[in-house]
Amino acid sequence: MSTPTATPPRRRAGPGRSLKWLLGRLGGGIFVLWAVATAIFFGIRMIPGDPAEAIMGGPGSQASAEALAAARAEYGLDQPLFVQYFGQLWRLATGDLGTSYSLKSPVAEVLGELIPPTLLLAGLALLLAWAMALALAVLSTRSGPWGSAIGSGLEIVSAAVPHFWLASVLIMVFSTSLGWFPPVSTNAPAGLVLPVATLALPLAGFLGQVMRDSMEGAQRSPYALSARARGESETGVLLRHSLRHAALPGIALSGWALGSLLSGAVVVETIFARPGLGRSLLQAVTARDIPLVTGVALFSAAAYVVVMALSDLAERVADPRIGTP
């Protein structure tokens, strides 16, 4: 009779592997920032119009030819395109985001005022989306086939609803008809309810789909069957095993979720007249405010990179089979 071979213990990650993971994340982040800066630089110059007019206040400023020429010389717009490109890359690498054409203020100061309200909106929407997705996944899983079918339908409809349509419906129902919340965002907590709900509902539908599928798989897994055989109740199986595995896809998608929230903020902040990165980005693109567009895009890309790294780390902590970096 052969002796069963013992499974070797999983080796703990050493400093070399952690350093390799960190350097890989850092290199990937630098590449993303470079790609975003490059796409913004060349993309915004494809918009018809003269950037010098934006500096002088727009086409309606009636600036003279001499004033336009002076503005081009001051901002280096009279130089060859690739000279401007590499000059901008150098300034960005040294932390100089430039001065906003339309606001006549340093982009760093403008971002300092715009980032907090947008992060508050996105953070609250992400928490609400997570709570709704987990609740819907638990209820649909515990309610049998009919509950799962109804939950799946609600998730699909919620994920497919456009932000602009949902915002309009919420304003008509909860502001115009019922008068519960203001139609525009204010500093009061009530002014955040409709913008947060508009961002959270579509995201909750998408997260709910992947969480429910993961939870249903966890409920049928061998470790869940083993726990039931040991006398564990269904509630215990749910709390000890299924919820953790249902949360793993949501953790892995946190970076994508942040990108979705920041892009949705463009529509939501505009509809609800809320100051923030999204609304200012739309105005900056319209005004061909190249420094402000670049600053907003780089911050969004940097936030995406950081959240992706944190979600990767959280996923490794939540699931020991993946291992720590």
Side-chain angles (χ1 to χ4, degrees):
M1 182 176 180
S2 60
T3 304
T5 304
T7 302
R10 182 175 58 86
R11 293 185 301 173
R12 295 182 62 87
R17 184 179 176 185
S18 299
L19 180 61
K20 182 179 179 181
W21 180 85
L22 182 61
L23 291 177
R25 285 293 182 179
L26 182 61
I30 293 174
F31 174 78
V32 169
L33 294 178
W34 166 80
V36 169
T38 300
I40 291 296
F41 179 86
F42 289 104
I44 203 166
R45 280 165 175 77
M46 296 176 65
I47 301 176
D50 187 356
E53 291 185 347
I55 298 173
M56 300 303 296
S61 64
Q62 298 181 349
S64 64
E66 293 78 8
L68 292 175
R72 295 188 191 99
E74 180 180 356
Y75 288 89
L77 298 175
D78 57 345
Q79 298 177 355
L81 187 62
F82 279 93
V83 174
Q84 298 180 41
Y85 169 68
F86 288 110
Q88 175 168 301
L89 287 185
W90 172 252
R91 289 190 297 272
L92 293 176
T94 57
D96 182 11
L97 297 178
T99 302
S100 169
Y101 296 165
S102 57
L103 301 177
K104 310 302 181 185
S105 300
V107 172
E109 295 182 4
V110 175
L111 292 180
E113 298 176 358
L114 298 177
I115 288 173
T118 296
L119 287 185
L120 176 63
L121 179 66
L124 292 176
L126 184 59
L127 290 176
L128 180 59
W130 258 84
M132 291 190 297
L134 277 176
L136 190 58
V138 171
L139 291 176
S140 61
T141 302
R142 296 292 298 272
S143 302
W146 281 104
S148 180
I150 294 174
S152 177
L154 291 176
E155 291 160 358
I156 293 174
V157 171
S158 177
V161 171
H163 288 112
F164 69 89
W165 183 86
L166 180 59
S168 302
V169 171
L170 292 179
I171 290 173
M172 286 190 296
V173 174
F174 294 101
S175 179
T176 304
S177 299
L178 300 176
W180 290 357
F181 305 107
V184 296
S185 182
T186 62
N187 293 327
L192 278 170
V193 173
L194 295 185
V196 168
T198 302
L199 277 179
L201 283 171
L203 180 60
F206 184 83
L207 291 177
Q209 293 179 48
V210 295
M211 288 183 181
R212 180 175 50 79
D213 291 341
S214 180
M215 183 172 290
E216 289 177 349
Q219 291 283 76
R220 298 188 299 267
S221 62
Y223 53 79
L225 297 176
S226 176
R228 294 189 185 96
R230 294 194 303 267
E232 187 79 68
S233 65
E234 288 296 327
T235 302
V237 172
L238 176 68
L239 296 178
R240 295 176 182 272
H241 303 286
S242 301
L243 276 181
R244 184 181 68 178
H245 289 273
L248 288 175
I251 294 174
L253 290 171
S254 294
W256 170 87
L258 177 67
S260 175
L261 291 173
L262 291 179
S263 62
V266 176
V267 176
V268 172
E269 290 177 350
T270 301
I271 292 177
F272 290 98
R274 177 176 174 81
L277 291 175
R279 184 183 179 192
S280 298
L281 177 61
L282 180 61
Q283 295 171 348
V285 171
T286 304
R288 294 177 59 88
D289 192 339
I290 299 173
L292 184 54
V293 172
T294 304
V296 173
L298 287 178
F299 169 78
S300 302
Y304 173 82
V305 170
V306 171
V307 172
M308 283 295 294
L310 292 177
S311 63
D312 187 15
L313 184 60
E315 187 180 10
R316 292 167 182 266
V317 172
D319 190 355
R321 295 173 300 175
I322 301 177
T324 55

